[in-house]
Amino acid sequence: DMVEVKTALVSVFDKTGLKELGEFLAARKVHVLSTGGTAAKLREYGCTVQDVAEYTGSPEILDGRVKTLHPKVHGGLLAARGNEKHQKDMATHGIRSIDLVIVNLYPFRDAVAAQPDDFPYCIENIDIGGPAMIRASAKNNAHVAICTSPSQYPKIMEEMKANGGCTRMAFRRNLAAAAYALTSSYDAAVSQWMATQVTEPPSTKTVSFEVERPLKYGCNPHQLPAGLCSVNGLKLPFEVVSGTPGYINLLDAVNAWQLVYELGKATGKPAAASFKHVSPAGAAIGVPLSDAEVGVYEVKGKPLTPVACAYVRARNADPMCSFGDFVAISSEVDVATANILKIEVSDGI
């Protein structure tokens, strides 16, 4: 279960957090295999670094397209410890076991966003060696820990500190799952872009979802909470300012907003809606209340702006159904409206 980290392969595009990690590996006397700028930085931080080209006996070639694609690298990543044949092959070919791999990828989506019409430029930003090492390490998670993001560095260091310089199987398996999620998302980005560059797009389309925040609970007691996800690396169309919404809350928010947006645009007046379980309990526009309505809606003596009038009308179309609702308002919420909102029981706005 425990694997001591004696050798690490480090090759990163994003060098965030590399100083702390490098100093940690140096203090642990971990032998580091690395390339290019990463190797130079790690030497600054006191690591014992061996260039991959020196280790493999093969220089970087093809303008850096081939650096780590070598049996001495992938053999060290894929060898099964304790397998006599594997151990014999490693001894015969001078292959070193690699216990920890730290790799992150060329930012392909950023490259496409910067120069979407420059086909050769985008092609050069497709990472080959990185995903190959990630997939190999993740497959051999029984023996290798694969780290694909600077956000994981603290966990790596905590794991090794807590276990005498070793990593546990459960920890490595969690890292492997994250690694395959990353390569899947990366390949999806490349595939989507390539499909826009050809005359016969493939029939298979892959969409990548990234959980931005967990939701409050599942729809039923036996279900785990859903997640609020972005699609293909795009930003969410809204921001959760406060609280933790549930799945139905978000459906209510999105549908209520569409209703008040269209209603306000069509009438030129502030619009409001009260949604419950993805259905409008009430919707209205900001027209003045009659004296009778002021009394029935129990807002006598309160300032009533057009926005406040829209909300009062929407909320009181069916006040029983609106209890614990989700509110949408097409205009900025003014003080008069806020003072009425704060006395009602709503899940959100």
Side-chain angles (χ1 to χ4, degrees):
D1 181 66
M2 292 286 191
V3 174
E4 184 179 356
V5 177
K6 298 178 180 178
T7 300
L9 173 57
V10 186
S11 180
V12 295
F13 183 90
D14 180 0
K15 294 178 176 55
T16 302
L18 191 60
K19 183 175 188 297
E20 294 78 6
L21 179 67
E23 290 173 347
F24 175 81
L25 295 176
R28 291 272 172 184
K29 295 185 171 23
V30 175
H31 184 87
V32 176
L33 300 173
S34 192
T35 60
T38 304
K41 284 289 183 186
L42 288 171
R43 286 191 179 99
E44 288 179 23
Y45 306 144
C47 288
T48 301
V49 179
Q50 182 178 16
D51 286 316
V52 167
E54 179 193 339
Y55 165 64
T56 62
S58 298
E60 293 183 13
I61 60 174
L62 307 180
D63 295 322
R65 283 191 173 194
V66 178
K67 301 177 186 176
T68 57
L69 296 169
H70 192 281
K72 288 188 74 170
V73 172
H74 285 269
L77 299 178
L78 287 165
R81 317 286 167 87
N83 182 305
E84 289 186 12
K85 176 137 189 347
H86 288 201
Q87 295 300 131
K88 183 178 178 181
D89 286 344
M90 292 177 74
T92 300
H93 298 288
I95 298 173
R96 186 176 192 132
S97 293
I98 299 171
D99 313 297
L100 172 64
V101 177
I102 309 220
V103 175
N104 56 58
L105 306 177
Y106 301 157
F108 179 76
R109 282 195 175 99
D110 292 348
V112 171
Q115 300 187 45
D117 299 320
D118 190 335
F119 187 85
Y121 173 78
C122 293
I123 286 291
E124 284 305 312
N125 278 276
I126 299 175
D127 201 321
I128 302 300
M133 289 189 289
I134 290 171
R135 288 174 62 83
S137 304
K139 175 176 179 174
N140 202 22
N141 62 80
H143 311 290
V144 182
I146 171 63
C147 176
T148 55
S149 168
S151 66
Q152 295 171 325
Y153 295 172
K155 293 180 181 178
I156 290 280
M157 292 186 282
E158 288 167 14
E159 175 75 5
M160 291 175 63
K161 284 178 186 175
N163 295 289
C166 299
T167 60
R168 294 166 298 122
M169 171 69 83
F171 179 75
R172 295 191 299 275
R173 194 165 290 175
N174 285 338
L175 291 177
Y180 278 125
L182 173 67
T183 56
S184 174
S185 174
Y186 193 85
D187 285 343
V190 175
S191 173
Q192 289 161 15
W193 173 74
M194 282 292 293
T196 67
Q197 305 296 309
V198 297
T199 55
E200 296 182 13
S203 59
T204 300
K205 300 186 185 300
T206 305
V207 179
S208 174
F209 296 93
E210 183 167 349
V211 177
E212 297 288 342
R213 61 183 297 141
L215 300 184
K216 189 161 48 179
Y217 41 64
C219 289
N220 296 296
H222 67 287
Q223 293 174 322
L224 294 173
L228 178 59
C229 301
S230 58
V231 181
N232 295 332
L234 300 174
K235 291 183 177 179
L236 293 172
F238 57 84
E239 178 184 356
V240 178
V241 177
S242 178
T244 304
Y247 175 63
I248 298 299
N249 291 151
L250 289 176
L251 294 182
D252 284 343
V254 171
N255 283 282
W257 170 249
Q258 290 181 90
L259 175 58
V260 299
Y261 176 79
E262 292 183 19
L263 192 55
K265 194 172 182 181
T267 63
K269 296 179 182 297
S274 168
F275 260 65
K276 191 76 176 286
H277 297 161
V278 205
S279 297
I285 57 174
V287 296
L289 301 176
S290 68
D291 291 342
E293 288 169 330
V294 167
V296 170
Y297 298 157
E298 299 180 343
V299 289
K300 189 173 183 179
K302 298 182 183 296
L304 293 171
T305 61
V307 178
C309 287
Y311 170 67
V312 169
R313 287 183 178 280
R315 173 78 185 200
N316 286 283
D318 189 339
M320 185 173 291
C321 283
S322 286
F323 186 86
D325 64 344
F326 217 95
V327 180
I329 297 176
S330 65
S331 306
E332 183 175 330
V333 174
D334 53 26
V335 174
T337 309
N339 281 328
I340 297 172
L341 275 164
K342 73 179 184 179
I343 63 174
E344 303 290 359
V345 177
S346 294
D347 274 5
I349 178 168

